[in-house]
Amino acid sequence: MKLRNRSHTGVRNRQSRRLAAAVAPASVEVTPRFIRVGDGYAATLVVTGYPAEVGPAWLEPLLSWPGRLELALHIDPLAAPVAAARLRDQRARFESSRRVDAGRGKLADPVVEAAAEDAADLADRLTRGAAKLFRVGLYLTVHARTEDELLEACAQVKTAAASTLIEVQPATWRHLAGWSTTLPLATDSLQMRRTMDTAALAAAFPLASADLPAPLPGDPPTEGGVLYGVNPDSQGVVWWDRWAQENHNSVVLARSGAGKSYFVKLEILRNLYQRVQVAVIDPEDEYLRLADAVGGTVVRLGMAGVKVNPFDLPTGDSRPDVLTRRGLFAHTLIAVLLGEQPPPAERAALDRAILTAYRQAGITADPATHHRPAPLLRDLEACLHGDDDPAARQLAARLAPWVHGSFSHLFDAPTTTRPDGHLVVWSLRHLPEELRTVGILLALDAIWRQVDTPGWSHVRRLVVVDEAWLLMRDGEGARFLFRMSKAARKRHAGLAVITQDVADVLGSDLGQAVVANAATQVLLKQAPQAIDGIGGAFGLTAGERRLLLAARVGTGLLISGTSRTSFEAVASAAEHELCTTRPSDLAHLDDEEDL
């Protein structure tokens, strides 16, 4: 029996050594001012002074500091007899100081008077059992990549602490002990303690705020942004600026009826106030009332007389590779029309036909020819028929439904509508289901031609793709959307992807890449069948999952990096009239218009 226990102990020791070798830093260098752990630097600050009074979440300025900061709070309860004895001694010292000052004819020290009153009040609460005393040590370990960055980070943390009257001092010559103290080992190697009562200690919790972190003291105030809503937990205002993030993209994921289009329309309206130009892909005519109210332009794809020529060249773009880029888009369009990437022989024939069609229309690489009318899809098919390669004729036959058949009405004439204005809505409601994906691609291409035009990079543009699952289910369409999400930031544009089919977005590598390239992520109410996928993709806690499962309409979670907060969209009466799609609200508005 003893041998077996030794064997098990040896196995555990070997497992512990292997774990330590895997997760421990390669080396630790100790200096008076900091320690170097692996490739980074760290320094520990000890809280030595506390404010006389604290309010709820008094540690928030430290917890919301944007850098890497490890905060450790070591708490040891004091036994009631020990606490009473120490408090009695403290009160005796205060009383002795007051009597000495009175005997010498000195005025009373206000600091001593306040401390004596606080001690008397604490003694009274301690006697009645309304409070307890604790020995508390508060330590902060700041991490940085270089020594200079560490010094600057420590200065910022000291400033943040000073904003709430907290005094901190570096653990000079004891940074190794400080670093180990802030590790999750439940060991206080510094033993720099301060006695606190229950109320002061409870005010330090929870260790995370429900609101987004505020700017650090001394930082310039933030400008811009729009109102997203109100935090239902703290009643704080959720104000967010997508244009101040590392990229301007966003994703909105929610089940049907959760209020995602309502929320997006509010954001569009509030961005229009700030001179942002917005283009919307609208599959269900949900944005027409908004467009009509603000004087926007509506392009109704599928309606009689509305044509879009995918071979149009960008207006005002004189770059030498314009024709090449239009040819590459033509390849993407044909792949979407056919539902697959053509075989290599057909792709080669298609490339020849594209160049021939432009050449026959009098358009070459010379920018002076780019104002001429662009060829149509039927011109491309004629070039394929004129090619001696059998693969070209095969491809022409496959394109027949889009040139002469049931799907030809969208491409059989030059473009009839110029999509200009501060708000352009591309309506897809009148397109057959078989043409929805193609319609989204054509609209996105027309939008991208405007975004990519040189000389307009100073204008902020927001591209909204509602029901993006229609495009994500097609490989070429998903790749086009991914390329736009990657390149939009360099052109001062943002891509907003909205979808109710979470599986189509998170179930593919391209969909996950689109989500990963969105600095602003909004999750509204989710279906129980999708919550596991959503929770795994966004690292949701159990409480956040419950929030999204039981969320009311328009209530959700805003996520950006390590910052996340819940919010409830709020709107004025005028905004609600423009954004609502609830049948009862629309019927009421129609009745008022009739009156």
Side-chain angles (χ1 to χ4, degrees), residues 231-250:
N231 189 326
D233 299 324
S234 66
Q235 296 306 309
V237 173
V238 180
W239 189 274
W240 188 251
D241 186 4
R242 69 160 63 231
W243 309 104
Q245 310 310 312
E246 58 265 26
N247 65 62
H248 315 318
N249 302 333
S250 67

Side-chain angles (χ1 to χ4, degrees), residues 2 17 30 44 76-77 106 173 181 205 237 283-284 290 293 310 354 432 444 556:
K2 293 182 179 179
R17 287 194 296 269
V30 183
T44 300
D76 285 333
K106 293 183 179 181
W173 286 108
T181 297
F205 292 86
V237 173
E284 297 297 335
L290 176 62
I354 292 171
L444 282 176

Side-chain angles (χ1 to χ4, degrees), residues 226-228 242-243 260-282 286-287 290-291 294 422-425 462-466 496 498 575 579:
V226 298
L227 175 67
Y228 269 30
R242 69 160 63 231
W243 309 104
K260 56 185 182 299
S261 296
Y262 186 92
F263 162 74
V264 172
K265 280 181 278 190
L266 284 176
E267 185 183 13
I268 289 174
L269 187 59
R270 291 162 184 172
N271 271 284
L272 288 173
Y273 299 154
Q274 302 182 11
R275 300 178 182 271
V276 176
Q277 294 190 6
V278 183
V280 182
I281 311 296
D282 181 13
E286 296 185 85
Y287 297 80
L290 176 62
V294 301
H422 54 282
L423 174 62
V424 179
V425 177
L462 179 61
V463 182
V464 179
V465 184
D466 205 342
I498 304 102
E575 289 176 326
C579 300

Side-chain angles (χ1 to χ4, degrees), residues 21-223:
V23 302
S27 63
V28 177
E29 178 185 351
V30 183
T31 71
R33 296 187 304 164
F34 59 85
I35 64 172
R36 184 173 181 178
V37 183
D39 296 333
Y41 293 78
T44 300
L45 304 175
V46 182
V47 177
T48 57
Y50 295 84
E53 296 183 1
V54 294
W58 55 277
L59 289 179
E60 173 58 23
L62 299 176
L63 295 168
S64 61
W65 185 69
R68 182 184 173 189
L69 175 68
E70 294 172 354
L71 185 148
L73 192 64
H74 291 266
I75 305 170
D76 285 333
L78 279 175
V82 176
R86 293 186 178 181
L87 190 58
R88 185 170 55 251
D89 294 340
Q90 187 72 8
R91 294 184 64 191
R93 284 194 292 270
F94 289 144
E95 186 63 24
S96 176
S97 297
R98 289 199 294 183
R99 290 186 179 183
V100 169
D101 290 342
R104 294 178 179 178
K106 293 183 179 181
L107 295 176
D109 187 346
V111 176
V112 175
E113 292 289 329
E117 292 177 2
D118 291 342
D121 177 69
L122 181 58
D124 180 63
R125 290 188 288 119
L126 193 65
T127 303
R128 291 185 285 105
K132 293 183 179 181
L133 293 184
F134 301 86
R135 295 287 291 168
V136 178
L138 184 56
Y139 313 101
L140 314 168
T141 295
V142 185
H143 294 264
R145 293 175 298 179
T146 65
E147 183 178 349
D148 293 339
E149 290 181 5
L150 180 64
L151 295 176
E152 182 180 356
C154 288
Q156 292 180 1
V157 172
K158 288 181 180 180
T159 303
S163 67
T164 53
L165 303 180
I166 296 176
E167 297 179 7
V168 297
Q169 296 295 333
T172 307
W173 286 108
R174 302 186 67 191
H175 288 288
L176 180 60
W179 174 59
S180 63
T181 297
T182 55
L183 293 176
L185 302 176
T187 302
D188 185 356
S189 302
L190 292 177
Q191 292 295 321
M192 302 288 289
R193 301 295 185 92
R194 173 72 176 265
T195 302
M196 287 190 186
D197 65 329
T198 306
L201 186 58
F205 292 86
L207 291 178
S209 170
D211 291 317
L212 294 171
L216 288 176
D219 287 351
T222 57
E223 299 179 357

Side-chain angles (χ1 to χ4, degrees), residues 497-519:
V497 176
I498 304 102
T499 184
Q500 67 183 20
D501 199 332
V502 179
D504 278 354
V505 175
L506 299 180
S508 66
D509 294 338
L510 288 174
Q512 293 180 10
V514 170
V515 173
N517 277 283

